[in-house]
């Protein structure tokens, strides 16, 4: 795995947390909100731990059932995709 992957992943999770924080802040002030699809995109790209931490700490989107269903689906898709890539590399199927 390239050395940049872990710092990039950490940065992505910090960014995802910030996006959730900004959306929570906007919701409390009646301002422009981040679309839910954007929040899900950050989770799907690998920011799901940051999203989960934000949901718990900020209590944002944690009780909305439809949002949670999609969040967990993005987490599963991400983990399966990364697992498939790592397995493919380990088996010599992928570069």
């Amino acid at each position: 795995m390239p050395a940049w992957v872990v710092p990039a992943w950490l940065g992505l999770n910090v960014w995802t947390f910030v996006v959730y924080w900004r959306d929570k802040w906007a919701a409390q002030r009646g301002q422009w909100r981040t679309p839910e699809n954007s929040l899900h995109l950050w989770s799907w790209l690998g920011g799901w731990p940051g999203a989960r931490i934000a949901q718990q700490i900020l209590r944002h989107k944690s009780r909305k059932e439809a949002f949670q269903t999609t969040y967990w689906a993005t987490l599963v898709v991400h983990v399966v995709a990364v697992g498939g890539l790592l397995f493919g590399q380990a088996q010599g199927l992928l570069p």
Side-chain angles (χ1 to χ4, degrees):
M1 185 177 330
W4 60 266
V5 170
V6 172
W9 179 77
L10 291 172
L12 174 63
N13 278 278
V14 168
W15 175 253
T16 302
F17 184 94
V18 169
V19 171
Y20 269 77
W21 172 83
R22 170 66 177 95
D23 188 50
K24 174 74 173 194
W25 183 84
Q28 293 171 332
R29 287 162 181 74
Q31 295 182 353
W32 178 84
R33 304 281 306 278
T34 303
E36 286 186 356
N37 284 341
S38 294
L39 297 175
H40 291 311
L41 175 64
W42 292 115
S43 293
W44 177 74
L45 291 173
W48 57 267
R52 187 68 180 156
I53 292 168
Q55 290 169 21
Q56 297 301 305
I57 291 175
L58 305 173
R59 295 186 181 174
H60 189 52
K61 303 286 188 183
S62 59
R63 296 172 73 187
K64 191 172 180 184
E65 191 172 324
F67 185 88
Q68 285 297 305
T69 299
T70 304
Y71 164 77
W72 286 104
T74 64
L75 184 152
V76 168
V77 168
H78 175 80
V79 170
V80 167
V82 169
L85 287 172
L86 293 175
F87 179 78
Q89 287 178 338
Q91 299 301 313
L93 303 172
L94 297 171

